[in-house]
Amino acid sequence: MTDALDTLRQEVRLWLEGNAPQDWRDHCTTEEAFVDLQRSWFATLAKGGYAVPHWPAGWPGGGRGLAEQKVIYEEFARADTPRLLLSFMSTYHAASTLFEWGSEAQRQYYIPRILDGEIWCQGFSEPNAGSDLASLKTRAERQGDVYIVNGQKLWSTMGQFADKCLLLVRTSSEGAKQAGLTYLLLDLKAKGVTVRPIHQIHGDEEFAEVFLDNVEIPVTDRLGKEGQGWAVAQSTLSSERGLTLLELSARMRGALWRIGDLIRANGRDNDSGILRDFGRLATKVDAACAVADQFLANRIAGEERVGDASIVKLSYSRTLRGFTSLGLRIGGMDTQYHDPITFGGGMETGNWMADFMNSYAWTIAGGSDEVQRNIIAERLLGMPREPKSWTLKEAVA
């Protein structure tokens, strides 16, 4: 830690003492309260210069290096501030894609609106095109100065609250599947757009599906050239790697006290088996933090390898499963009841049944555990690529 980073840490810590929301978990029991808190907290962070430290210099609060961003997000985790779930797609996916692929006119129009709190979602996945994104079928046909779009998108995080959507569509069926994709910016208030929240198993509605019926999108709202959408989408998907998982791992370590309290409250503090499992979990949580920390250090040093991010993702998702399942087991029958959830409360709220069910999302979101293992095996370990058309009978022969 350099003197400059130590000074920054003290500045952020002092600022949080005067500005971080207090007792916010107790109030986020309704969707309306969640949205109000998210908008208010983002505005406070923007005013304080901590909302978008990852943006380029020249934008308010931007121009921070990775080491500085790490300090800021570590302090957010330590102070247990609300995660910016509502504006996450806006400030990372949308902004980073606009900075890299947008025209000067597009950047000057959209970026200030994001800083003012405009909410974006992502329209990539479809009912039959999730892990195999290149198979998407939502169609866009150019007619003069507009594209006419028809189709359906699925798993659009926070889509029901969003104003705009990053939309990946098919404009050609010729050649490779990836070559026929185009990237558009969709106004969710446009005629022909229908957004429906998806009710999840633990009671939240974090995702939405988006239906597009002859929706007109101006050609001026295209990022990159027609047919270049796959390359633009890769920029979008790479925008969140690194710091997000470092912050989440730090938050999980900061929440270990919940299991400690649960052990005492249930009279299990003399149970050697429970204490052994708790000790193992604490070690795994520390290891997950160390893996995320090392990944970021390698990135700062320019030594990141293709596939390193998959190790971080896999480490976090497996540890989170262990964290929530231990809480559920120690809590006994009392944790089997379905308590009202804390909207936007993260993955370690102490509502153990909801936390446990929510933890499965991280084994799928951003690439399933199976996909991460394939990347690690093929890209890092140099193992042969997975056959595309194998059968179980052939595999065991």
Side-chain angles (χ1 to χ4, degrees):
M1 175 70 70
T2 66
D3 289 344
L5 291 177
D6 190 53
T7 299
L8 174 62
R9 187 179 297 280
Q10 296 308 316
E11 289 175 0
V12 177
R13 190 168 295 184
L14 183 62
W15 185 86
L16 286 170
E17 288 177 0
N19 293 279
Q22 303 298 312
D23 303 324
W24 60 271
R25 292 180 187 275
D26 298 335
H27 305 296
C28 278
T29 53
T30 67
E31 192 175 270
E32 292 75 17
F34 161 70
V35 172
D36 288 346
L37 174 75
Q38 288 280 310
R39 290 188 182 281
S40 170
W41 179 225
F42 180 78
T44 300
L45 285 169
K47 185 178 180 181
Y50 297 116
V52 288
H54 55 291
W55 283 16
W59 294 97
R64 297 282 193 182
L66 281 172
E68 292 176 306
Q69 295 173 47
K70 174 175 180 285
V71 166
I72 292 170
Y73 288 116
E74 283 177 342
E75 288 304 306
F76 287 176
R78 188 196 63 80
D80 190 29
T81 61
R83 293 194 65 226
L84 290 176
L85 298 176
L86 198 59
S87 52
F88 186 79
M89 287 285 173
S90 314
T91 59
Y92 278 90
H93 298 66
S96 65
T97 312
L98 283 162
F99 282 131
E100 184 169 352
W101 291 91
S103 65
E104 184 60 26
Q106 288 171 327
R107 284 195 290 270
Q108 291 301 324
Y109 181 80
Y110 285 115
I111 297 295
R113 285 167 171 75
I114 291 175
L115 200 56
D116 284 342
E118 188 173 70
I119 305 301
W120 287 64
C121 68
Q122 184 172 295
F124 284 9
S125 297
E126 297 181 4
N128 294 306
S131 296
D132 184 15
L133 186 60
S135 295
L136 65 84
K137 298 189 182 306
T138 293
R139 188 83 186 177
E141 296 182 11
R142 182 166 178 172
Q143 295 183 9
D145 294 332
V146 300
Y147 286 99
I148 307 298
V149 185
N150 286 281
Q152 179 189 356
K153 293 295 178 179
L154 199 63
W155 308 122
S156 294
T157 306
M158 301 289 160
Q160 65 270 42
F161 308 114
D163 307 292
K164 299 290 192 303
C165 178
L166 303 168
L167 191 69
L168 198 58
V169 298
R170 181 162 299 286
T171 48
S172 172
S173 300
E174 302 294 326
K177 292 187 293 185
Q178 291 86 346
L181 303 181
T182 296
Y183 202 109
L184 302 174
L185 307 177
L186 167 67
D187 182 350
L188 288 171
K189 305 297 187 296
K191 182 181 178 183
V193 177
T194 302
V195 181
R196 296 176 183 166
I198 298 173
H199 193 73
Q200 297 165 246
I201 189 173
H202 62 290
D204 201 352
E205 293 179 343
E206 188 177 346
F207 308 106
E209 52 187 343
V210 180
F211 297 89
L212 305 156
D213 183 13
N214 288 321
V215 178
E216 292 188 7
I217 300 179
V219 174
T220 52
D221 278 341
R222 185 186 69 209
L223 288 185
K225 299 177 181 176
E226 186 171 300
Q228 206 172 17
W230 184 257
V232 183
Q234 297 313 303
S235 299
T236 302
L237 295 173
S238 66
S239 64
E240 62 176 293
R241 291 174 185 165
L243 284 166
T244 299
L245 287 168
L246 186 143
E247 181 191 355
L248 287 171
S249 300
R251 285 178 182 271
M252 184 161 52
R253 181 160 57 187
L256 277 171
W257 65 268
R258 292 188 184 280
I259 294 184
D261 276 5
L262 199 61
I263 291 173
R264 284 187 287 272
N266 285 275
R268 307 294 293 274
D269 37 354
N270 290 318
D271 186 328
S272 59
I274 290 295
L275 295 178
R276 177 200 60 208
D277 291 345
F278 183 46
R280 286 176 175 171
L281 172 68
T283 303
K284 290 180 179 177
V285 172
D286 275 345
C289 291
V291 167
D293 201 52
Q294 185 61 54
F295 169 77
L296 195 62
N298 290 345
R299 172 172 279 194
I300 292 172
E303 298 173 353
E304 179 186 350
R305 300 169 300 173
V306 175
D308 281 349
S310 294
I311 296 178
V312 184
K313 168 73 164 48
L314 192 60
S315 170
Y316 175 75
S317 66
R318 303 308 298 175
T319 307
L320 181 64
R321 285 278 302 281
F323 184 102
T324 57
S325 63
L326 182 59
L328 191 65
R329 181 157 62 91
I330 296 172
M333 288 300 296
D334 289 344
T335 58
Q336 304 299 311
Y337 295 106
H338 182 76
D339 292 328
I341 65 168
T342 302
F343 287 89
M347 276 64 73
E348 312 92 4
T349 66
N351 184 347
W352 293 106
M353 180 57 80
D355 290 347
F356 178 69
M357 291 188 288
N358 200 21
S359 71
Y360 278 83
W362 267 97
T363 66
I364 302 171
S368 67
D369 283 2
E370 290 75 14
V371 169
Q372 306 305 328
R373 289 191 180 96
N374 275 354
I375 293 173
I376 293 168
E378 295 170 8
R379 303 291 186 87
L380 285 176
L381 302 179
M383 296 176 70
R385 291 182 64 83
E386 182 183 30
K388 293 298 182 185
S389 58
W390 63 276
T391 64
L392 182 60
K393 183 178 180 180
E394 291 171 341
V396 299

